[in-house]
Amino acid sequence: MIYYFSGTGNSLYVARHLADALGERLCPMVSPVSTDDEVIGLVFPVYGWGIPKVVEKFVRNYKASLLGGRLEGGFLYAVMTCGDDMGYTDRVLEKALGRKLDAAFSVLMPDVYVCLPGFDVDSKEECKEKFSLEKEAIQNIAKCVKERQTVRHLKRGPFPWTKTYILRPLFNRYLVTDKYFHVDASSCVSCGRCQKMCPVGNILIMDDVPQWQSNCVGCLACFHACPHHAINFGKMTQKKGQYDLLRMLNEE
Ligand SMILES: Cc1cc2nc3c(=O)[nH]c(=O)nc-3n(C[C@H](O)[C@H](O)[C@H](O)COP(=O)(O)O)c2cc1C
């Protein structure tokens, strides 16, 4: 069984490939379906060199049921997608799980983070390069999982400790919020795409425009999905690019 969370599609894309390669079932991180599987995978994006809060909630709530409570005999692994580097995200996950992972992998995927100066989506060429490397990475992960190898193939990047244990708490505290999202009502066509794409149901269309309901996980699905670039996060994102996984794949 592979449990996944994905904001803008990258982690679902990876999870699907892995599920195909392993002949496994996929399940969104909502609540674990009952399973006798001895091998459990968790696939999700890296947010601020740590785990998204929706993933933290899932593992804290259901850690006893992961592997059907048979933590001893089972094999638990994580695949974390990131645009650049993941710091000590695996350790943050292990803390929430209350146990060590048997294996952990990071997979480079197009970067979707745009809310700080200097951060933008990848160019088409960078996306293409990452998609081509992803295929090989998934085959390698599938092999490790099939053989139950206790390995870590992770791109921690420079200063991982500082990023995960100093910057991440600040990131979570000040930047994982929907209070800076706003919509340009003159560009918004009330198509409801932002509402549909929000993976946690945090957007309602009221008075013909999106209204955020204070339960944001910061995935930026709404920003990237808007066909008119009418949604922005503060002033920082007005000139930033939008990421559309399906369009990128079609152009590949
Ligand atoms: C809120 C947020 C924080 C992010 N933080 C990081 C990070 O710390 N390191 C990194 O390499 N990529 C980071 N990214 C990029 C994503 O991890 C990457 O694009 C991922 O593949 C998105 O997965 P998804 O499409 O399944 O949501 C971040 C993206 C978001 C939206």
Side-chain angles (χ1 to χ4, degrees):
M1 177 69 76
I2 295 174
Y3 294 103
Y4 72 89
F5 168 73
S6 183
T8 44
N10 287 343
S11 307
L12 177 56
Y13 179 79
V14 163
R16 279 195 177 133
H17 285 171
L18 194 57
D20 286 349
L22 291 167
E24 292 274 10
R25 286 180 300 160
L26 273 181
C27 182
M29 283 192 189
V30 185
S31 57
V33 293
S34 109
T35 168
D36 287 335
D37 293 5
E38 286 202 338
V39 179
I40 300 278
L42 303 171
V43 181
F44 59 86
V46 172
Y47 283 0
W49 305 285
I51 64 178
K53 67 181 186 189
V54 60
V55 174
E56 174 147 15
K57 198 169 155 203
F58 174 80
V59 296
R60 285 198 191 279
N61 283 347
Y62 300 111
K63 57 187 166 193
S65 358
L66 291 173
L67 300 171
R70 288 176 294 108
L71 293 177
E72 290 307 316
F75 186 83
L76 182 62
Y77 67 97
V79 178
M80 295 152 274
T81 73
C82 60
D84 193 12
D85 55 45
M86 45 93 65
Y88 284 125
T89 302
D90 52 324
R91 296 193 189 170
V92 176
L93 176 63
E94 285 175 332
K95 189 161 183 227
L97 277 165
R99 65 160 289 191
K100 288 265 176 216
L101 291 160
D102 297 304
F105 310 87
S106 60
V107 176
L108 268 192
M109 287 294 282
D111 206 333
V112 301
Y113 191 70
V114 293
C115 301
L116 283 170
F119 288 78
D120 207 343
V121 293
D122 292 329
S123 66
K124 269 186 202 164
E125 290 67 34
E126 286 167 319
C127 291
K128 235 173 148 176
E129 166 83 3
K130 287 179 174 176
F131 288 132
S132 68
L133 293 173
E134 183 264 357
K135 292 194 179 79
E136 204 182 309
I138 298 306
Q139 292 315 314
N140 182 40
I141 294 170
K143 182 172 182 290
C144 293
V145 171
K146 274 184 196 152
E147 294 171 359
R148 296 200 184 192
Q149 294 180 23
T150 49
V151 289
R152 290 199 180 215
H153 293 165
L154 303 168
K155 188 180 171 206
R156 296 203 186 281
F159 311 111
W161 193 90
T162 307
K163 285 172 174 167
T164 296
Y165 297 109
I166 305 287
L167 297 181
R168 174 177 172 263
L170 296 171
F171 181 85
N172 282 346
R173 179 153 182 198
Y174 295 110
L175 291 173
V176 182
T177 171
D178 53 21
K179 71 179 179 197
Y180 304 121
F181 279 118
H182 55 93
V183 62
D184 173 2
S186 64
S187 308
C188 176
V189 293
S190 313
C191 64
R193 198 150 183 254
C194 49
Q195 181 182 31
K196 197 170 140 217
M197 299 308 278
C198 176
V200 293
N202 187 45
I203 296 178
L204 295 178
I205 305 293
M206 294 194 289
D207 298 329
D208 294 334
V209 288
Q211 310 262 338
W212 288 263
Q213 304 299 306
S214 309
N215 191 27
C216 184
V217 293
C219 71
L220 300 178
C222 55
F223 166 83
H224 290 292
C226 179
H228 298 282
H229 211 316
I231 291 175
N232 277 292
F233 187 85
K235 288 189 179 147
M236 195 52 68
T237 59
Q238 272 154 7
K239 295 207 161 61
K240 301 287 178 78
Q242 290 173 289
Y243 177 64
D244 182 335
L245 172 65
L246 291 181
R247 200 174 57 210
M248 276 297 160
L249 291 172
N250 286 336
E251 286 177 9
E252 216 190 338

